[in-house]
Amino acid sequence: MDDMPATASEPSLNAADAARIQEIVERPQKKKRVPGRGVVLRAALATAVMLWAAFTPLDWGWLAWISLVPLLSIARIPDRLGWTYRLLYLSGFIYWLITLQWMRYGDPSMYIALAAMAFYLAFLWPIFVWLNRTCLHRFRIPLFVFAPILWTGLEYLRSFLFTGFSWYYLGHTQHNWVDLIQISDLVGSYGISFLIVLSNAVITECLPLRWIRRGLGIQSNTATDESSSLNEKLLIQTSGGDRPLLHRLGMIGLSVGLVIGAMIYGQIRRGSEAFPVGPRVSLVQGNFVASLKSDRDQWGEIFQVHYHLTGLSVRFQPDLIVWPEGMFRYPVYETQKGLSNEQLDEILEKEFPEIGLTSDYWNSGDSQQRLSSIADMTDAGLIVGASVFAAEKDKVDVYNSAIFAAPQTGIQGRYHKIHRVPFGEYIPLREQLPLIQSLTPFRGDFGIQAGTNLEVFQYKDWRLLPVICFEDTVPHLVRQLVHQAQERDSAPVDVLVNLTNDGWFHGSSELDQHLITAKFRTIETRTPMVRAVNTGISAVIDGDGVVREPDDFIDLDAKREERDPTKSMKNPETGRYHRQRNLALIADVPLDPRESFYVKYGDWFAAGCLVAVFATFFLSFIIRPSQVASE
């Protein structure tokens, strides 16, 4: 896979160079020394450190614009390096282990999931470098042309491969550069990643090869100095070596021009229309650490905290009250129409023999009545996260759901989560590979069923589209739901309602990164989002991806913790978002009347980049170096 650059068949060398080549050919050849493994390791670890710092918790987004230079330098130099792809993989594995370390908090078994996720994601680094070396040294395509395409295509690939992981896209590092990221309504967040990699590639191409070798610590070999010098001359003519000044200025102009163009577009879009005032919401945020072992004794406390915060919200007259995912702990039982009590008793005996559930209790509707009474008490629409147990002919399906209740009319709708979390809500390939389940703490028929249909909750004049937990991190899913809702009902979606339980992650940087990722969904769809999140960070995000300051806070913990009540989303001393507090946030939602090109046409840009990735991969096995050299 470490390809030496192929030389052109008729390079334009002068007579002196030709004579030196003939002399070298006739001279007894000494074995060429392969540069040490430390070269690759230093470069890959430099990229790893800068990428880690570009994301939360440091959030130094400016580093992203230079973070890939060491990695691309490995792709650019013609030298064959020792253990290139093994060391790239090792460095990527270390990077992802550290970046995703928050996964370990939920349960000791999550260390296995963390290692498995890092094991998979680490392959992207050697693949990216190998594809770039192939394009540069074999196909003679400059880095600045193909590197951004390859990176973008690989980001899109991991958005759906193995159920998908759309976190930590390079473009997410620019979430605070509000004008720049507005192009997400054209090409998704992938477009920002493209611009960042283009900048990195241009910087790498503008550096002289001798600087790169010196920076990587590649020492000269006296036995091959002369041939290496000639090799570099050939590289200049064929695969984009030390480019002339005019070429460098052109590349820099292209990169800077595209960034400026994106910023101008963002400023125009942000100033095009005002945001009308939408529903007033109360986002109820409890502070309960989550774990795989559910403590039934805590159910009452969880309900009382959320119920109390809901009651205190009434004086602010909210139109809508939202509880986080799973924070209405009492199951909602449903029965398929036409199923008799006798049939239901048989199913319950088979499914829950140790509990002793009866059809009378199952059909009592206690949970539904309790939710309806809360909606009546507050005179507001109520959306809560709950588990729905749906009894059918011969089984009981369990769903992670959002339940909508309206005052005076009761339960009006329910949405079952479509995109489940692997190993958290189901075990993939459990039947085909039973060993996988043995590596988890789950036994038996663990897991929830996936929902199949979108739901839009209509309340007053507003259309509310629920998404649950990590669904707001999946760009194509949210885009598809918004698009289908608009096409089906010939009416736009007014507000995305996200119910999340981030209590698994103990106030770690996961909370910040989850919020950052959600921002891009609002820009892509030009639809505001409200997020009610257990332990935080609950928020109202407008269609520009900006987190809005609430009008009021209800802080249950201030008196007990002997501190001032919460008055802002962020701690003024640290600049970090408040988390792990029992709060209610009161805010008016800014509606967004703009349309989105991305909603209409989807991932056309990223999909095109992925096609180029596959084309490069297959052509690398079809077109050999000698074929390119002869052209």
Side-chain angles (χ1 to χ4, degrees), residues 16 50 93 189 294 320 342 496:
M50 286 190 284
F93 182 75
S189 61
S294 177
L320 181 69
E342 291 76 13
L496 295 168

Side-chain angles (χ1 to χ4, degrees), residues 153-181:
L154 291 173
E155 277 194 346
Y156 180 56
L157 178 64
R158 70 176 172 94
S159 74
F160 55 83
L161 189 65
F162 304 125
T163 77
F165 185 70
S166 301
W167 292 62
Y168 295 97
Y169 282 177
L170 203 55
H172 295 166
T173 61
Q174 307 306 304
H175 66 100
N176 286 322
W177 197 347
V178 181
D179 286 342
L180 178 71
I181 63 177

Side-chain angles (χ1 to χ4, degrees), residues 528-605:
M529 179 187 295
V530 297
R531 304 181 74 237
V533 184
N534 176 39
T535 73
I537 304 165
S538 300
V540 174
I541 312 171
D542 68 24
D544 287 335
V546 175
V547 176
R548 293 294 189 99
E549 278 288 343
D551 299 321
D552 293 283
F553 290 88
I554 302 170
D555 190 343
L556 284 187
D557 300 332
K559 185 175 182 180
R560 176 177 56 83
E561 296 178 359
E562 298 181 347
R563 57 170 173 78
D564 293 333
T566 301
K567 296 181 180 179
S568 174
M569 289 287 293
K570 293 184 177 181
N571 185 325
E573 296 180 359
T574 64
R576 292 173 59 82
Y577 285 107
H578 294 298
R579 64 198 70 212
Q580 293 186 296
R581 291 183 175 181
N582 291 299
L583 292 173
L585 288 66
I586 312 297
D588 294 327
V589 180
L591 301 181
D592 195 332
R594 296 172 294 181
E595 294 184 352
S596 166
F597 185 89
Y598 180 79
V599 167
K600 188 172 183 179
Y601 294 103
D603 289 310
W604 63 275
F605 176 74

Side-chain angles (χ1 to χ4, degrees), residues 6-9 137-140 623-631:
T7 58
S9 57
H137 301 305
R138 186 178 298 181
F139 302 153
R140 313 303 185 216
I623 302 176
R624 307 309 303 169
S626 58
Q627 293 178 261
V628 178
S630 64
E631 293 178 356

Side-chain angles (χ1 to χ4, degrees), residues 107-110 112-113 292-293 423 427 436-444 446:
D107 187 85
S109 64
M110 293 304 293
I112 299 176
L292 296 178
K293 297 179 180 179
F423 301 105
I427 300 175
I436 294 178
Q437 183 163 358
S438 67
L439 298 175
T440 72
F442 309 115
R443 296 296 179 265
F446 164 80

